Amino acid sequence: MANAALFIATVLIWGTTWIAIAMQVGPVPVLVSVFYRFAVAAVILVAILAVMRRLKLPALRDQPFILAQALCLFSLNFICFYNAAASIPSGLISVIFSLATIYNAVNARLFFGDRITGRTLLAAALGATGLLLLFGEDVVVDFDMDTLKGIGLAALGTLFFSLGNMASRRNSAVGISPLTANAWGMTYGTIVLLLLIAVTQTPIVAPPNISYFVALLYLAAIGSVIGFTTYLMLVSRIGSSRAAYATVLFPIVALSLSTVFEGYHWSGPGLIGLALTLLGNVVIFARPLARRSPQADARLPAGG
């Protein structure tokens, strides 16, 4: 039951962050909104680890990879996502984000030499077809440049997220705990965002209303700190592959909220597109239908 509770919590928390991001789009510049989010999250996570006496400074040789994780997971990717939320419904951004599993497969091949399977190629084809059906009317028929911009930014943000996963994988491989890497990563990300604000001379605008402030606290404390913790606990209990099934359900939660709060209208092709995109994610994580017999495995060469 505990595993089920962690799974449900992860889906509900990360599936609802997209609508909270949309609530922050408006009078506060994107750079400042992202800065607020990770400044609060960094303070919370660093304070928790310090109180628990688990806050450790990574070695100097690991610092470039902590910085890479900060750039890709806690700054650049969210700059893209927040800007995308000004052009397309938040639920559709979550659908694009769910394709991170495919980005990860390609990047794992490039950086770690992992094999790309036929299953990955099938999932990519399903996902691409699903996105075409979801966005085709706006982009192909009406040629809506604003929608095209939003798609591009969401895809770029997902690429940054995937690259951040690769940095995180490297950091974990050398013994840096994910909580430690993320505590320092959020801190470095906050510093990077502050530098970008200074360089671009972006005005720092205070939270304009209570809804913005509530969304900020939700994204920082619930989405960034608690959501990440529940996911890590789930990974430690049932493994990363099974835990990643949660990403398949994010778009369903996000699009449901987008329908209620943003007036997203469903169409027949859109429903089919969502189904195909989710199916692509299921294909990535589905277990093989059958296992080889021990006798057959014994006849295979090592590593086969």
Side-chain angles (χ1 to χ4, degrees), residues 38 69-82 97 153 156-161:
F38 286 106
Q69 189 168 333
L71 289 172
C72 293
L73 289 183
F74 307 122
S75 53
L76 298 181
N77 62 325
F78 279 101
I79 291 173
C80 292
F81 290 138
Y82 275 63
F97 178 74
L153 286 169
L156 180 60
T158 305
L159 174 60
F160 281 130
F161 174 82

Side-chain angles (χ1 to χ4, degrees), residues 10 26 36 45 50 57 128 140 142 146 180 185 210 213 221 225 239 267 284:
T10 301
Y36 284 156
L45 189 52
L57 182 65
V140 179
D142 299 329
D146 203 40
T180 297
I210 189 64
F213 188 73
V225 177
S267 65
I284 281 285

